[in-house]
C-alpha cells in the first residue's frame, strides 16, 4: 500500500479544517500542510493551529505531498487545481471532498492532466462554514464515498480509502454518476426544499416573519438549519449536479401533487398510509447509526 | 382570577401526559385527573404515575374539574367531548391542545353547548407519541396560542393563560382562523413536505432504500424526524386545516418553480441571493430562544 506521509489541504473551511484536525488527532505521524486562497482564513488557521504548516502560495503548499485534497466549493475546483499544478510531484494522489462528483472529476482531470485523480465525498457536515467551524470527530461513523475513474491505480484507491477510514469514516466506492444521483436524493433535494420553504415562509403577506420565528418549534425550525448552509457552496452544488437534482425534483413534485389531492379530497386512508410508511425509514436510519435516537434530535427542551 | 384547583386531561399521549407531568412538577397543589379511551394507555399512565387519579369513565374524569383539556387527535375532539359531557360542572373551562383551531372550536362548541370553550395550542412537541413519550419541560420557553371566541369570559381566558404560563410557556392570543394560517406555515406545511420527500426517496428506482439510509447524513435525516410523527394525528391535522394548508402549499409550489428554473438556466446570482436571505431567519430563531445554536441541533458526532 502507498504510504501517505504528507497531506496538503487546499481550502480551510468547515470540511478542510475538519480533515486537518482529524489527521492531527488520529494520524499524528502525518504532516498536514494547509492553504486557503483567503489571507484572513490562513491567519485564522495559523492561530487555531490545526495544520503543521500553513503555506501562503498554493504551489508551495503541495510540494512533496503524497495526497492533495481540494476542499473548496465545487465550482472552484478547477481554479484551485490550476493554482497548485506547478508544485505537484509525480505520483501524488489528487482528491477532493466536493458534494458532487462527475463535474469535479472532469474539472480536476482537465486541470491536472497526467495526474492520479480520485474524487471523494465525505457525507458529513453541519450548517456552519469557515475554519473555526471544523472539528476532528466530524467523520466518525459517517460514510465517505470514493469515486475512482476507470484508470485509477488500485493501490492509490486503497491508500485513499485507508486514509478516510483512519479518520473514522466508513468507505464506499461507486461511480461518479451514481454518486450524483444518490446525493441528489439524500442531500441536494432536501437542501433545495428547505431553502424553498424558508423563503416561502418569510415572504407571505398573511403571516409576519416575526410570527414565523415565534412559532417555528412546530416543525419549521428543523428546515431552517439546513437552509442556513453556505450560499456559495450550495449555489455551486445545484449548478454542478443540475440534471440529477431536476430529475429527483420532478419525482418529488409528482408525490406532492398526490398528497395535495388526497388533502383536497379528504382521503384520510391515503394520508394515514403514507404517513405510516415514512416512519419506518427513520427507524432504519437510527438503527444504522446515522442519526440520534433521542427525541427532537436530542435538543435540550 | 378564577382558581384552577382540579384539572382533567382527556387523552394521555405525548401532549396530555406532558401537561400532567408539568402540572405535578410546577403546580403541586393542583389535582390532575387523567382519562384515555384506551385501557392500555390508562394502565401505563397508572404505572408511570403522572396523574393523581386515572379515571376509567370519561364523565367521572371531569367531575368537579375547573379545567378540562382535550389532548386527543383533532378529529376525535367531538367524540371525546360528547363522552365527558354528562360529568361537567357549571362554569368549567373547556380547552384543548389541538394543532388546528377553527375546526376544533366549532366541534367543541357544538358538542358542549352552553359551556365556556377556550381552545389553545402549545407549539411544542417531538416526533414521538404515547404516554411514555411525555416530559415535564416540554412547554418551557415555547409559545402557547390561545384562541378565545368572541363571547369568552375574560377571567376564564386569563385563568387559562395563567395556567400555561405556570407550565413554563409564553402565551399569545389570536383568533382561530389566523392561528390556522400561521401554523399552516410553521408546522403543517413543513410536515407535509417532510412526509412527501421521505416517501419520494424511499420509492426511487435509481437509488435503493439502503443507499438513502446510509447517506442520510447529507441532509435527508433532518426530514425523517418529523416524517416519523404520529400518522393519525397528522392525518387529522391536514383534514381539519385543509384550506390554509392548500393555500400555503400553492405559494411553496410557486417558489419551488422559481428555484427550479434558476437551476435549469444556471442562474447563479438568483440561487446565491435566495440562499443568503434564508440564513437570516435561522439566526433570528436562535436569538429568540426557539432553537439550539449548537451546530447540527447539537447532535453528537
Ligand atoms: N458543508 C458541508 O456540509 C459539506 C459536506 C461535505 C462536503 N462538502 C464540500 O466540501 C467543500 C468545502 O465546503 P466547506 O463547507 O468546507 O466550505 P467553506 O467552509 O466555505 O470553506 C471553503 C474554503 O475554501 C476557500 N476557497 C475557495 N476557493 C479557493 C481556491 N481556489 N483556493 C483555495 N481556497 C479556496 C474559501 O475561501 P473564500 O471564503 O474566499 O471563498 C473557504 O475558506 C465543498 O466542495 C463542499 O461541496 C461540504
Ligand atoms: N405531537 C405533537 O408534536 C403535538 C404538538 C402540539 C399539539 N398536538 C396536538 O395534541 C393532541 C394530541 O397529540 P399527541 O401527540 O399527544 O398524540 P398521542 O400521543 O397519539 O396521544 C393521543 C391519545 O389520545 C387518545 N384518544 C384518542 N381518542 C380519544 C378519545 N375520544 N377519548 C380519550 N382518549 C382518546 C389516544 O388513544 P388511541 O391510541 O386509542 O388513539 C392517545 O392515547 C392532538 O390534537 C395534536 O394535534 C400535538
Amino acid at each position: 500500500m502507498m504510504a501517505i506521509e504528507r497531506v496538503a489541504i487546499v481550502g480551510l473551511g468547515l470540511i478542510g479544517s475538519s480533515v486537518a484536525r482529524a489527521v492531527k488527532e488520529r494520524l499524528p505521524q502525518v504532516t498536514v500542510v494547509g492553504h486557503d486562497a483567503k489571507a484572513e482564513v490562513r491567519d485564522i488557521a495559523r492561530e487555531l493551529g490545526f495544520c503543521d504548516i500553513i503555506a501562503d502560495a498554493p504551489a508551495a503548499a503541495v510540494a512533496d505531498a503524497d495526497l492533495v485534497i481540494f476542499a473548496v466549493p465545487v465550482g472552484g475546483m478547477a481554479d484551485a487545481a490550476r493554482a497548485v499544478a506547478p508544485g505537484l510531484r509525480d505520483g501524488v494522489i489528487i482528491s477532493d471532498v466536493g458534494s458532487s462528483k462527475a463535474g469535479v472529476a472532469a474539472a480536476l482531470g482537465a486541470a491536472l492532466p497526467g495526474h492520479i485523480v480520485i474524487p471523494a465525498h465525505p457525507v458529513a457536515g453541519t450548517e456552519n462554514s469557515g475554519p473555526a467551524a471544523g472539528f476532528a470527530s466530524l467523520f466518525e461513523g459517517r460514510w465517505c464515498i470514493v469515486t475512482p475513474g476507470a484508470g485509477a491505480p488500485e493501490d492509490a484507491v486503497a491508500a485513499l480509502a485507508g486514509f478516510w477510514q483512519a479518520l473514522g469514516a466508513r468507505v464506499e466506492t461507486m461511480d461518479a454518476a451514481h454518486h450524483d444521483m444518490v446525493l441528489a436524493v439524500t442531500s441536494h433535494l432536501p437542501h433545495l426544499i428547505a431553502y424553498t420553504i424558508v423563503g416561502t415562509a418569510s415572504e407571505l403577506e398573511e403571516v409576519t416573519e416575526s410570527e414565523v420565528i415565534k412559532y417555528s418549534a412546530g416543525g419549521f425550525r428543523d428546515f431552517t438549519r439546513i437552509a442556513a448552509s453556505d450560499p456559495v457552496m450550495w449555489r455551486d452544488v445545484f449548478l454542478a449536479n443540475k440534471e440529477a437534482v431536476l430529475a429527483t425534483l420532478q419525482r418529488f413534485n409528482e408525490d406532492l401533487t398526490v398528497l395535495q389531492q388526497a388533502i383536497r379530497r379528504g382521503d384520510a386512508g391515503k394520508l394515514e398510509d403514507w404517513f405510516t410508511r415514512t416512519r419506518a425509514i427513520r427507524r432504519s436510519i437510527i438503527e444504522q447509526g446515522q442519526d440520534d435516537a433521542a427525541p427532537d434530535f436530542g435538543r435540550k427542551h
Side-chain angles (χ1 to χ4, degrees), chain A:
Chain A
M1 180 139 138
M2 290 167 72
I4 294 177
E5 287 168 2
R6 192 182 182 93
V7 177
I9 301 171
V10 179
L12 299 173
L14 170 69
I15 303 297
S17 78
S18 293
V19 173
R21 287 170 164 101
V23 173
K24 295 289 5 135
E25 196 171 296
R26 293 167 155 263
L27 297 169
Q29 76 284 9
V30 172
T31 302
V32 183
V33 188
H35 168 75
D36 196 283
K38 227 182 202 157
E40 191 195 321
V41 173
R42 296 196 301 270
D43 288 344
I44 297 171
R46 280 195 184 96
E47 225 167 90
L48 295 175
F50 51 70
C51 292
D52 297 303
I53 303 165
I54 298 291
D56 283 329
V62 302
D64 298 319
D66 306 305
L67 170 64
V68 176
I69 297 180
F70 294 103
V72 304
V74 294
M77 294 285 178
D79 278 354
R82 276 189 295 264
V84 305
L88 293 172
R89 73 163 181 80
D90 273 359
V92 59
I93 302 173
I94 305 291
S95 191
D96 76 303
V97 296
S99 304
S100 72
K101 296 269 61 85
V104 169
L108 291 179
L112 304 174
H115 282 288
I116 301 169
V117 175
I118 309 174
H121 175 204
V123 185
T126 77
E127 66 274 28
N128 295 338
S129 52
F135 50 100
S137 62
L138 179 60
F139 311 110
E140 273 170 27
R142 298 285 84 80
W143 289 90
C144 181
I145 302 177
V146 178
T147 63
E154 271 178 40
D155 58 346
V157 175
L160 184 67
F163 174 79
W164 278 104
Q165 279 160 348
L167 304 194
R170 310 196 234 174
V171 172
E172 187 67 84
T173 298
M174 62 179 76
D175 73 55
H178 188 61
H179 166 280
D180 288 354
M181 185 51 102
V182 172
L183 270 289
V185 180
T186 61
S187 180
H188 309 169
L189 181 62
H191 276 79
L192 184 65
I193 297 302
Y195 279 124
T196 305
I197 195 173
V198 176
T200 304
S202 63
E203 300 221 323
L204 290 171
E205 294 94 42
E206 305 87 343
V207 179
T208 67
E209 191 168 306
S210 120
E211 287 176 318
V212 167
I213 291 162
K214 270 168 89 166
Y215 307 120
S216 60
F220 181 73
R221 62 180 182 171
D222 281 21
F223 289 71
T224 63
R225 185 187 80 78
I226 53 184
S229 300
D230 192 68
V232 170
M233 173 197 149
W234 281 99
R235 174 202 71 190
D236 279 11
V237 170
F238 292 118
L239 298 179
N241 199 22
K242 185 191 284 205
E243 302 308 327
V245 169
L246 292 176
T248 56
L249 179 54
Q250 191 185 327
R251 301 294 298 273
F252 170 83
N253 271 325
E254 289 166 15
D255 288 336
L256 190 55
T257 303
V258 169
L259 283 178
Q260 184 172 11
Q261 260 180 13
I263 293 173
R264 181 171 295 125
R265 294 175 182 165
D267 188 342
K270 173 141 219 135
L271 295 175
E272 193 179 338
D273 283 355
W274 189 294
F275 302 166
T276 303
R277 271 195 293 120
T278 52
R279 266 194 153 171
I281 298 268
R282 177 148 187 93
R283 261 196 301 272
S284 305
I285 287 175
I286 291 169
E287 274 161 27
Q288 297 193 21
Q290 295 304 310
D291 207 349
D292 205 315
D296 222 2
F297 302 121
R299 279 182 181 117
K300 295 175 230 79
H301 272 270

